[in-house]
Amino acid sequence: MSFKEIQQRCRQLANPKDAKFLQGFFKTGPGDYGEGDVFHGIRVPVSRKIARDYKHADLATVEQLLESKFHEERMIALFILTYLYEQANPEQQTELCDYYLTKSHRINNWDLVDCSAHKILGNYLLKRNKQIIYDLSHSESLWEKRIAIVSTWTLIRDGQLQPTLRICKTLLTDEHDLIHKACGWMLRELGKKEPTLMESFLGNYYKKMPRTMLRYAIEKLPQAKRKAYLQGEV
């Protein structure tokens, strides 16, 4: 019943003009990273509100939403899954995290990763072995690699910084811009916690780093230092 209700609300809130914009913004054309993705045209705050209204929905509802062709329905599913995870006991959290990883092929755009990876997998790994994300960082899947690095956001906040550095090193030679951005973003977050550690990593690797990764990482540094990194004069 919850799935049908959510589906109906999404149809009622659909905005064709916004849907057209979002399909361009998220690169859904032939050969693009989001090829074939379809949108209702619902903005994220509205999707989040719908998910809050159904935060006690069962996993069957999440499953149906994740299998939807509509991007926003998959996002709502992930929001609900994060709520379910927050409410779960440790045993249930293990089951939900395992489920999340089996659905990585449906977490198939950067915003879907970014709204869920750190809240589910990142939280799950706070007091556990990190091998899962090291393995994911070597995946052939763009989305699994992004899940690996974005999940470390929660670890960074907890002061666990080495997983971010290890994964960023692994992904230095990755060819996809969405990975460059995610790694740079996490390095920037790490720099807020331990600026010296971030700059030590940059000192070793900034000349090998994709330009986008570097730009994202140094975004909050003083202008003179940013310029020095970009000109290779550090």
Side-chain angles (χ1 to χ4, degrees):
M1 183 63 71
S2 294
F3 169 67
K4 292 294 184 182
E5 291 174 2
I6 293 169
Q7 192 178 56
Q8 185 60 30
R9 283 182 66 174
C10 287
R11 289 174 179 171
Q12 291 170 347
L13 292 164
N15 184 317
K17 182 178 179 181
D18 283 350
K20 183 177 181 181
F21 167 77
L22 291 169
Q23 285 185 224
F25 182 76
F26 284 100
K27 310 296 184 187
T28 61
D32 290 334
Y33 64 75
E35 181 177 356
D37 208 353
V38 180
F39 289 77
H40 284 298
I42 301 171
R43 298 301 174 123
V44 173
V46 179
S47 294
R48 195 182 296 276
K49 183 182 185 308
I50 295 170
R52 278 199 303 269
D53 290 343
Y54 291 90
K55 64 181 180 181
H56 299 296
D58 58 19
L59 205 56
T61 298
V62 172
E63 176 82 17
Q64 289 175 295
L65 290 167
L66 278 176
E67 293 303 317
S68 172
K69 69 177 181 179
F70 287 102
H71 186 100
E72 294 92 341
E73 292 181 19
R74 299 198 305 282
M75 174 169 276
I76 291 166
L78 292 166
F79 284 144
I80 293 172
L81 196 60
T82 65
Y83 295 138
L84 293 176
Y85 183 88
E86 290 168 2
Q87 300 164 41
N89 62 41
E91 183 179 349
Q92 292 167 334
Q93 287 181 339
T94 297
E95 293 172 358
L96 290 170
C97 190
D98 288 345
Y99 175 79
Y100 179 80
L101 292 171
T102 67
K103 292 297 178 180
S104 62
H105 62 292
R106 303 303 297 159
I107 309 168
N108 54 356
N109 218 312
W110 59 264
D111 61 328
L112 302 180
V113 172
D114 296 357
C115 77
S116 60
H118 62 295
K119 293 185 176 182
I120 298 175
L121 182 56
N123 267 295
Y124 181 74
L125 295 177
L126 279 172
K127 296 181 180 180
R128 293 178 173 87
N129 185 284
K130 312 300 188 283
Q131 191 60 46
I132 294 171
I133 51 175
Y134 301 145
D135 291 343
L136 288 174
S137 72
H138 290 280
S139 172
E140 294 183 2
S141 163
L142 165 63
W143 308 120
E144 289 187 345
K145 286 183 285 190
R146 188 159 175 124
I147 286 170
I149 185 60
V150 173
S151 69
T152 69
W153 194 6
T154 300
L155 304 179
I156 292 169
R157 290 169 172 172
D158 192 57
Q160 300 182 48
L161 308 180
Q162 290 304 317
T164 302
L165 298 178
R166 178 171 169 176
I167 292 172
C168 284
K169 184 177 178 181
T170 296
L171 296 174
L172 277 175
T173 58
D174 194 88
E175 297 181 354
H176 206 289
D177 187 59
L178 289 177
I179 297 301
H180 305 165
K181 291 177 179 178
C183 287
W185 170 25
M186 288 305 112
L187 287 171
R188 186 175 72 235
E189 293 300 317
L190 184 150
K192 294 177 185 177
K193 195 84 172 177
E194 291 288 347
T196 302
L197 186 59
M198 183 193 75
E199 292 205 48
S200 175
F201 182 85
L202 292 178
N204 289 326
Y205 298 109
Y206 82 98
K207 290 185 178 180
K208 305 174 185 177
M209 208 177 268
R211 202 69 166 173
T212 299
M213 188 187 298
L214 178 61
R215 286 186 180 277
Y216 270 60
I218 65 176
E219 184 179 353
K220 299 299 181 181
L221 295 182
Q223 183 177 358
K225 186 162 283 189
R226 293 201 309 271
K227 184 177 180 181
Y229 275 116
L230 292 172
Q231 294 180 346
E233 298 174 350
V234 176

